[in-house]
Amino acid sequence: MANANKCRKQMDDNHHPSQTQSLLPGLPDHIAELCLSLIHPSSLYSVCRSWRRLIYSPSFPPFLSLYVLLSSSSSSSSSSTSSQSHLHFCTFDPISSTWHPLPPPPPDPPLRVLLHHPSFISRSLPIQSVSVSGNLVLLAATAHNFTPALSRPLIFNPLYKTWAFGPPLARPRRWCAAGAARGEVYVASGMGSQFSIATARSVEKWKLGNQRNWERKSGLKDGRFSREAIDAVGWRGKLCMVNVKGDAAKEGLVYDVEKDAWEEMPEGMIGGWRGPVAAMDEEVMYALHERRGALRKYDPERDAWEEIMESERLRGALQMAAGGGRVCVICGVGNQIVVVDVVAPLGRLWVVDLPTGFEAVAVHILPRMSRLEFGFPSVE
């Protein structure tokens, strides 16, 4: 490829090429961008700096990246009742294979989240987040006084690298069901500062981009879905959720977003819900049997789960996300993310190691962050 060789030579001759260097000699840049957008970013990245800048520019079609909520903990003084936990927001760039921090959230009001407490030795306190319309949205967490840490959603837009607040929740909550469907965010059940049956049965909806308010929807028949922090999985115009996590027996409900009505989860669907579940583009639902490490796909026609693969690496799965033909799973004690290519005939699998000293709280698949200039410091 003559242009690629010329571009490499320009990079070798001049370590910091001119900003006016053309992308493809002989073509206007806007035409060159159209041509280069047809090539996978991984092929462009290794050729020259101008092409590397291009794939991170706002004008280039964004490729998908991992966005991970990470925690790091240090022991507090003996007089304290909890460990000092720190929440970090990072993204893993699959093209450069590097971790990068997100810009810090707004300082006012400060985000103060309780992740660990001696009263809950065997578990971490949850932080509930969803991805919707290419944005990362934080919805619920626990503050240090065991109250809801978020009175309104906190939203990160990767393409603009900005944080923003959504409208206040009518009932701020923690340990709730959180999900997204058709560009709308839902929270259901959970509790506020203390348990309330009104909060445990309530459901609220917010359409991203509408800064006015949350809309109250049809409530749950009881408060049995406030026992755990639950992922409400958006799938074909519905939200699917169960009342407990893991391989335990559970109850399941399905919310129809068009009818604003709740119904019992199909028997086959709930029977295979034995670990974390995620939906690809809200069309194909995947579930992991956390004890066996078996990844399955749901067949609604047969109301049954079809096994894709089984791997020891997938055992003990904590949380998962799906997008771009990949299923990304937080496994073990949260120190690595296993990626499965579910489009490949045999389900190709590989591991992404987290930065040293961090554990994953949640993983999402979103468009890469744009960069006005190439290069910024990595996490490690």
Side-chain angles (χ1 to χ4, degrees):
M1 184 176 177
N3 286 326
N5 292 333
K6 183 172 182 179
C7 201
R8 287 194 186 96
K9 185 177 186 302
Q10 289 172 332
M11 182 174 67
D12 294 336
D13 292 342
N14 187 357
H15 185 69
H16 297 287
S18 170
Q19 293 294 328
T20 60
Q21 174 187 319
S22 61
L23 294 171
L24 288 173
L27 286 178
D29 277 355
H30 69 283
I31 300 298
E33 287 184 15
L34 292 176
C35 297
L36 294 175
S37 68
L38 302 176
I39 303 173
H40 195 277
S42 61
S43 299
L44 301 177
Y45 180 86
S46 59
V47 175
C48 63
R49 292 179 182 273
S50 61
W51 289 9
R52 193 175 298 181
R53 289 192 188 94
L54 173 65
I55 66 176
Y56 294 103
S57 69
S59 61
F60 195 83
F63 54 86
L64 294 177
S65 299
L66 292 180
Y67 286 76
V68 185
L69 278 65
L70 299 171
S71 70
S72 62
S73 301
S74 60
S75 298
S76 60
S77 63
S78 57
S79 61
S80 176
T81 59
S82 63
S83 62
Q84 296 298 315
S85 303
H86 304 281
L87 185 64
H88 305 262
F89 303 93
C90 297
T91 179
F92 179 77
D93 182 340
I95 305 301
S96 62
S97 297
T98 52
W99 287 95
H100 302 289
L102 271 60
D108 187 23
L111 181 62
R112 295 195 174 101
V113 173
L114 181 64
L115 297 175
H116 303 281
H117 194 277
S119 299
F120 303 91
I121 297 175
S122 63
R123 67 189 302 172
S124 298
L125 298 176
I127 298 172
Q128 291 174 265
S129 54
V130 300
S131 53
V132 55
S133 302
N135 295 267
L136 172 64
V137 181
L138 271 66
L139 287 171
T142 303
H144 286 260
N145 53 1
F146 288 97
T147 60
L150 292 163
S151 61
R152 49 182 175 165
L154 182 59
I155 309 108
F156 179 72
N157 185 308
L159 299 183
Y160 295 97
K161 297 198 299 184
T162 56
W163 291 92
F165 285 106
L169 286 149
R171 287 188 171 94
R173 59 192 85 198
R174 56 195 176 96
W175 288 43
C176 57
R182 296 183 176 178
E184 297 174 323
V185 181
Y186 292 81
V187 293
S189 195
M191 63 180 70
S193 301
Q194 297 178 337
F195 178 80
S196 161
I197 190 62
T199 301
R201 293 185 56 196
S202 68
V203 180
E204 295 183 66
K205 180 190 81 170
W206 170 57
K207 185 173 180 61
L208 198 69
N210 179 358
Q211 296 297 317
R212 290 178 295 178
N213 53 37
W214 288 75
E215 179 183 349
R216 186 168 181 173
K217 308 303 292 183
S218 294
L220 298 157
K221 62 181 180 181
D222 53 49
R224 285 180 291 180
F225 282 77
S226 61
R227 293 172 56 186
E228 292 211 44
I230 298 166
D231 291 326
V233 180
W235 176 73
R236 301 189 178 187
K238 297 180 179 181
L239 285 169
C240 307
M241 67 187 207
V242 295
N243 64 330
V244 293
K245 293 185 175 182
D247 194 22
K250 48 182 64 74
E251 299 177 59
L253 287 177
V254 175
Y255 174 75
D256 189 311
V257 300
E258 292 292 336
K259 297 178 181 178
D260 186 25
W262 292 91
E263 58 191 46
E264 297 295 323
M265 182 177 285
E267 183 177 345
M269 181 186 288
I270 194 173
W273 203 298
R274 290 294 178 262
V277 177
M280 186 87 66
D281 302 322
E282 299 187 13
E283 282 296 323
V284 183
M285 188 183 298
Y286 295 90
L288 254 171
H289 194 299
E290 66 173 34
R291 181 168 49 84
R292 288 181 48 210
L295 180 63
R296 300 167 172 173
K297 179 173 67 173
Y298 182 64
D299 181 350
E301 300 298 327
R302 298 188 299 117
D303 187 26
W305 295 87
E306 171 191 346
E307 188 161 312
I308 297 174
M309 67 179 301
E310 184 175 329
S311 172
E312 289 188 6
R313 290 187 178 274
L314 295 172
R315 292 179 182 176
L318 302 175
Q319 190 255 345
M320 63 188 285
R326 311 289 198 266
V327 170
C328 303
V329 188
I330 299 174
C331 292
V333 294
N335 59 358
Q336 63 178 208
I337 295 174
V338 179
V339 182
V340 182
D341 184 346
V342 293
V343 178
L346 299 178
R348 191 166 63 95
L349 176 151
W350 65 94
V351 174
V352 175
D353 291 320
L354 296 179
T356 304
F358 292 89
E359 295 179 1
V361 176
V363 60
H364 297 278
I365 302 173
L366 295 165
R368 60 95 180 100
M369 284 198 300
S370 63
R371 307 185 210 171
L372 296 180
E373 295 182 359
F374 176 74
F376 48 70
S378 62
V379 174
E380 294 184 294

